[in-house]
Amino acid sequence: MLVKEQPTSFSPLPKSFAALMEMYEINYIQLRLLCGDIRTLPETSVSRVADGIPVAANVIEHSRHTTTLMLTYLFHEYSGAKDNRPDMLIRVYHDSRQAEVISHRCRLTEEVVQHRGQELDTMLLCRWRMNRFLYKWTNYLRRQGHIFNPIS
């Protein structure tokens, strides 16, 4: 009997505000897998793996319902480079269990953007791209073995 393998995760398509909210939920799960309980994350955490670039998670702001953190590579430790990009400012909403990138560097134009023949809101698309990158990046970091705030 043949059994079709099911993917371990999926990639939502950039089609709606609801799909973006779903991406925020997926990013929250990914960050929890990477960082553990984000509410107890130290102010600065660095993850190092063999033959990999160190990654820092810096808590910028913490309140009862949200945590804002900066996630970045530490290229200066690995190669002496001065640039630490990508650096992503992320707000984690503990009550709704969502995480969104809040540092947007998208170029917004008056040009009509389409996906499968339908017009898209450029701000929606910008948020989609940034959060899609976070989704892919956290998957990649986890596959490399990075972890912050390990449970003792």
Side-chain angles (χ1 to χ4, degrees):
M1 180 163 111
L2 294 175
V3 177
K4 183 179 176 184
E5 285 188 33
Q6 296 296 319
T8 57
S9 62
F10 65 96
S11 303
L13 297 173
K15 56 187 175 186
S16 67
F17 178 75
L20 180 63
M21 294 297 104
E22 188 173 359
M23 179 65 75
Y24 289 172
E25 291 173 17
I26 293 168
N27 283 342
Y28 175 83
I29 293 167
Q30 290 291 103
L31 284 169
R32 285 294 310 265
L33 291 170
L34 192 62
C35 300
D37 186 354
I38 296 165
R39 288 178 264 211
T40 64
L41 196 63
E43 189 174 316
T44 300
S45 300
V46 177
S47 175
R48 292 178 175 83
V49 295
D51 298 324
I53 301 167
V55 181
N58 299 307
V59 174
I60 306 299
E61 181 183 4
H62 180 73
S63 70
R64 182 176 180 195
H65 299 286
T66 64
T67 299
T68 303
L69 61 99
M70 175 71 73
L71 195 62
T72 188
Y73 277 120
L74 298 177
F75 285 114
H76 65 276
E77 285 188 19
Y78 186 74
S79 66
K82 294 181 182 179
D83 196 6
N84 284 333
R85 289 184 190 177
D87 53 346
M88 300 198 90
L89 192 59
I90 304 157
R91 178 149 307 131
V92 178
Y93 302 93
H94 304 293
D95 52 351
S96 64
R97 296 184 177 158
Q98 294 183 325
E100 79 169 309
V101 176
I102 58 173
S103 57
H104 298 199
R105 291 193 181 122
C106 295
R107 176 187 288 165
L108 300 177
T109 67
E110 297 300 318
E111 181 181 332
V112 175
V113 179
Q114 292 191 340
H115 175 70
R116 296 186 179 177
Q118 295 180 339
E119 288 186 21
L120 290 176
D121 179 330
T122 55
M123 195 60 183
L124 176 67
L125 185 59
C126 172
R127 288 185 174 145
W128 180 265
R129 287 179 181 159
M130 298 305 291
N131 285 281
R132 174 92 172 136
F133 180 83
L134 177 61
Y135 165 76
K136 288 183 172 192
W137 190 26
T138 52
N139 268 321
Y140 176 74
L141 292 175
R142 289 184 45 240
R143 280 194 314 272
Q144 283 193 313
H146 283 282
I147 191 165
F148 300 97
N149 201 21
I151 299 171
S152 308

